[in-house]
Amino acid sequence: MLSLLSEVEDCESEIIRIRRYVHANPELTYKEFETAKLVAEKLRSLGIEVKTGVGGTGVVGLLKSKRDGNVVGLRADMDALPVVENVDVPFRSKNEGVMHACGHDTHIAMLLGAAMLLAKHRDELRGAVKFLFQPAEEHGGRGGAKPMIEAGAMKDPKVDFVFGLHIDGDTPSRVFWLREGSILAAPDTFKIRIKGRGGHGSEPHKTIDPIFVSAQVIMALQGVSSRMIDQTEPFVVSVCSIHSGSKDNIIPDDAVLEGTIRTLNEHIRAQAKRNVQNVTRSVCRAFKATCEIDFMKDAYPVTVNDPKVAKRVFSILRTIKGTRTIEKKPILGGEDFSRFLQEAPGVFYFLGTRNPQKGCVHPNHSSKFKVDEDVLKYGSVSLAMLALEFGAAGQHSRAPRS
Ligand SMILES: [Zn+2]
Ligand SMILES: [Zn+2]
């Protein structure tokens, strides 16, 4: 480990160079063409086998060792967000209106940094490392993980353990955090169309007022949260947009509500969705309105860290000098890394980058999001260590294959 920390000093400037290049040239969901090309070229230059066009613009690298062991998957996402960058740095986005505001540029750079370290340590490696560079994490529905898995990214050779690292603007620099079990939510979104019957604003009794019914539905949905779901289980329902009406004296025909529900367990998730539908239909029926309720298809599952793997990850990360590793409460954002975790046990973990002295104080997705680049080398070391340690997990008694 000590050697990895000193070796990463040699790669640090390259890691930062890659990060800045990708940051200056961000690409949106499923359009990560140039980014994927850069990733594939870098992996090939390290002697790593590469497949491109996996599930869209995904890239899979395979680094094999000569010794028996596990296959460890390490994942980075590559897409940027439709945000106008509001940070004054020399490598500001050249693609106006597109910004790496979630830090996926750093994920690419950190994973390529890990690849540089692991390629050097090929002889000490057991099993193999699969580098999973995925498109379209920010898609929200059909994110890039699912098509990559469908294209066989987790097979041949089958991935035994999988890890994903995310940069976190809310946590202090050089602090890793994770937890056992659920760490991120299932981010379901819904659209409710309430159909009434329009008319004159002065004669509501002759109409079925969809705006009034919408108000009742919004109130009743908070009752799902406070009166129908176990209060010890996190559950959020937020109606985030309402569209209806055209003029101050016309009762419109319909209203459209859109919102999101967040849950941390698949059982509660199913129950919450059922309750949202039942309550909405019942309230509409009470006032003679009808409704259509659609949940977005392919919403990401809950991101669940395998408890045993997480325990081991805690102890591995805690050996990295210059960093701290802590446990934190789950957050109700979503991640399609959850899909990789349905294929193999593993862990999703975070690395803090908040550093007020460098002006790195804004959260991910902000137009002012700024990363403390000094943390990147630690991210690379952590990924390389997980590959080395989990590649050898349970393999110590076996003789090396020559
Ligand atoms: Zn994001
Ligand atoms: Zn992200």
Side-chain angles (χ1 to χ4, degrees), residues 122-141:
R122 197 189 271 254
D123 293 340
E124 288 150 58
L125 191 68
R126 283 169 176 265
V129 186
K130 230 179 213 190
F131 299 92
L132 303 158
F133 287 89
Q134 80 152 79
E137 192 287 322
E138 300 284 359
H139 191 273

Side-chain angles (χ1 to χ4, degrees), residues 77 79 81 101-104 107 137-138 166 334-335 364-365:
D77 38 11
D79 55 329
L81 286 162
C102 200
H104 298 182
H107 303 169
E137 192 287 322
E138 300 284 359
H166 206 297
E335 244 293 339
N364 301 59
H365 286 214

Side-chain angles (χ1 to χ4, degrees), residues 15-28:
I15 295 169
I16 291 174
R17 189 194 67 77
I18 293 170
R19 185 263 156 163
R20 290 184 177 185
Y21 182 83
V22 175
H23 188 88
N25 298 280
E27 295 175 297
L28 288 171

Side-chain angles (χ1 to χ4, degrees), residues 12-303:
E12 189 181 14
S13 58
E14 175 68 353
I15 295 169
I16 291 174
R17 189 194 67 77
I18 293 170
R19 185 263 156 163
R20 290 184 177 185
Y21 182 83
V22 175
H23 188 88
N25 298 280
E27 295 175 297
L28 288 171
T29 286
Y30 285 124
K31 293 188 178 135
E32 308 88 341
F33 302 109
E34 296 305 316
T35 309
K37 211 188 274 176
L38 175 146
V39 165
E41 275 166 19
K42 185 72 200 173
L43 291 174
R44 280 195 193 105
S45 77
L46 297 167
I48 294 171
E49 247 173 63
V50 174
K51 274 189 204 160
T52 55
V54 184
T57 49
V59 179
V60 177
L62 182 64
L63 177 67
K64 287 190 214 152
S65 80
K66 290 187 181 140
R67 301 196 289 170
D68 274 348
N70 301 307
V71 180
V72 178
L74 302 175
R75 173 271 210 170
D77 38 11
M78 302 190 289
D79 55 329
L81 286 162
V83 171
V84 178
E85 179 157 15
N86 201 1
V87 188
D88 189 18
V89 284
F91 49 93
R92 189 179 177 277
S93 170
K94 291 185 204 160
N95 188 0
E96 194 60 22
V98 183
M99 176 189 176
H100 268 293
C102 200
H104 298 182
D105 51 341
T106 68
H107 303 169
I108 295 165
M110 289 189 289
L111 187 50
L112 287 173
M116 293 178 224
L117 293 171
L118 289 165
K120 272 196 202 168
H121 286 269
R122 197 189 271 254
D123 293 340
E124 288 150 58
L125 191 68
R126 283 169 176 265
V129 186
K130 230 179 213 190
F131 299 92
L132 303 158
F133 287 89
Q134 80 152 79
E137 192 287 322
E138 300 284 359
H139 191 273
R142 197 162 167 82
K146 197 173 185 182
M148 278 190 88
I149 292 165
E150 286 167 356
M154 294 292 277
K155 290 191 221 142
D156 193 28
K158 183 183 168 299
V159 173
D160 297 302
F161 296 99
V162 67
F163 300 96
L165 170 60
H166 206 297
I167 207 92
D168 178 5
D170 282 332
T171 299
S173 275
R174 292 183 287 116
V175 173
F176 289 106
W177 77 268
L178 66 141
R179 58 180 290 106
E180 294 174 23
S182 301
I183 186 162
L184 288 161
D188 287 293
T189 60
F190 59 80
K191 183 173 187 175
I192 300 171
R193 180 178 292 276
I194 295 173
K195 296 179 191 169
R197 191 176 65 232
H200 203 286
S202 65
E203 296 180 318
H205 59 290
K206 293 181 181 169
T207 72
I208 297 171
D209 180 357
I211 293 180
F212 169 77
V213 177
S214 296
Q216 307 306 312
V217 166
I218 292 165
M219 297 304 289
L221 288 179
Q222 294 311 315
V224 174
S225 163
S226 69
R227 288 296 174 268
M228 298 173 90
I229 298 290
D230 181 344
Q231 292 298 288
T232 61
E233 296 282 353
F235 169 55
V236 163
V237 52
S238 296
V239 175
C240 300
S241 94
I242 313 178
H243 286 96
S244 183
S246 58
K247 193 176 181 304
D248 53 19
N249 61 355
I250 304 170
I251 290 174
D253 285 323
D254 53 14
V256 176
L257 315 181
E258 288 178 284
T260 186
I261 67 177
R262 304 290 167 123
T263 46
L264 282 175
N265 124 10
E266 292 292 341
H267 169 70
I268 298 293
R269 178 189 194 187
Q271 195 187 338
K273 284 169 85 172
R274 246 188 345 262
N275 287 339
V276 163
Q277 295 184 64
N278 290 341
V279 163
T280 302
R281 285 204 187 95
S282 303
V283 171
C284 287
R285 201 179 311 124
F287 294 102
K288 296 192 169 65
T290 58
C291 61
E292 283 166 10
I293 308 164
D294 292 306
F295 280 93
M296 183 180 60
K297 291 198 176 54
D298 275 333
Y300 302 160
V302 181
T303 304

